[in-house]
Amino acid sequence: MAHRILPVEEMKKELGKELGVTDWIQIDQERINQFADCTMDHQWIHVDQEAAAKGPFGKTIAHGYLTVSLLSHFGESHAIMPEGCTMAINYGMNKLRLLSPVVVGSKIRDRITLVALEEKPQGLLVTTSHTIEIEG
């Protein structure tokens, strides 16, 4: 599903509702390694498969910020935008918790809910809640 464009009054009717659940994405070692290269975070728990096999999770795990960085991809599939919108930017995060490690080979998806709309002089501030699920 692509993003939806609605009048602000119609968007208000979506408050508190789930906008959608994304498709699953596989988190493989190549993606983890590419993220490590991009961020220069090569901690062994992410990139050293031999050492990680002896570690607390039995495998490498994705960087927490790798999971967070996928929110922009996930959000695009179920975004809700006001009519006349010419641009949307990431305003930031209100609360972020990384409750479970994402081990290599896992599949993750995002459950997205519209939680707030705030009209501002610069435009509409849209707040969504994202809950990343790990398959199984």
Side-chain angles (χ1 to χ4, degrees):
M1 178 180 193
H3 62 272
R4 293 183 291 155
I5 298 173
L6 298 172
V8 173
E9 290 308 311
E10 290 297 312
M11 288 179 70
K12 289 177 181 177
K13 294 176 184 175
E14 300 294 315
L15 280 169
K17 294 182 182 176
E18 186 174 278
L19 299 177
V21 180
T22 67
D23 292 335
W24 293 104
I25 289 184
Q26 180 95 36
I27 303 298
D28 59 19
Q29 191 61 50
E30 181 179 0
R31 186 183 304 265
I32 293 170
N33 291 345
Q34 289 173 344
F35 190 82
D37 289 343
C38 182
T39 60
M40 297 179 285
D41 179 354
H42 292 93
Q43 184 183 22
W44 65 271
I45 196 68
H46 304 303
V47 298
D48 187 336
Q49 294 176 348
E50 189 176 307
K54 299 173 190 167
F57 308 109
K59 296 180 177 182
T60 56
I61 61 170
H63 303 72
Y65 286 121
L66 168 54
T67 303
V68 172
S69 73
L70 289 169
L71 293 178
S72 59
H73 166 73
F74 287 139
E76 176 63 21
S77 63
H78 294 288
I80 187 168
M81 311 276 281
E83 255 180 1
C85 180
T86 58
M87 175 183 64
I89 61 170
N90 181 350
Y91 187 72
M93 295 183 187
N94 293 337
K95 180 179 176 183
L96 172 64
R97 299 290 181 265
L98 304 169
L99 302 177
S100 298
V102 177
V103 298
V104 68
S106 296
K107 290 182 181 179
I108 63 171
R109 69 180 179 185
D110 188 5
R111 188 171 297 275
I112 305 166
T113 303
L114 180 63
V115 295
L117 297 172
E118 185 179 347
E119 295 186 58
K120 297 199 167 258
Q122 305 88 343
L124 186 67
L125 178 59
V126 178
T127 303
T128 52
S129 171
H130 295 258
T131 302
I132 299 297
E133 301 175 346
I134 304 169
E135 188 177 49

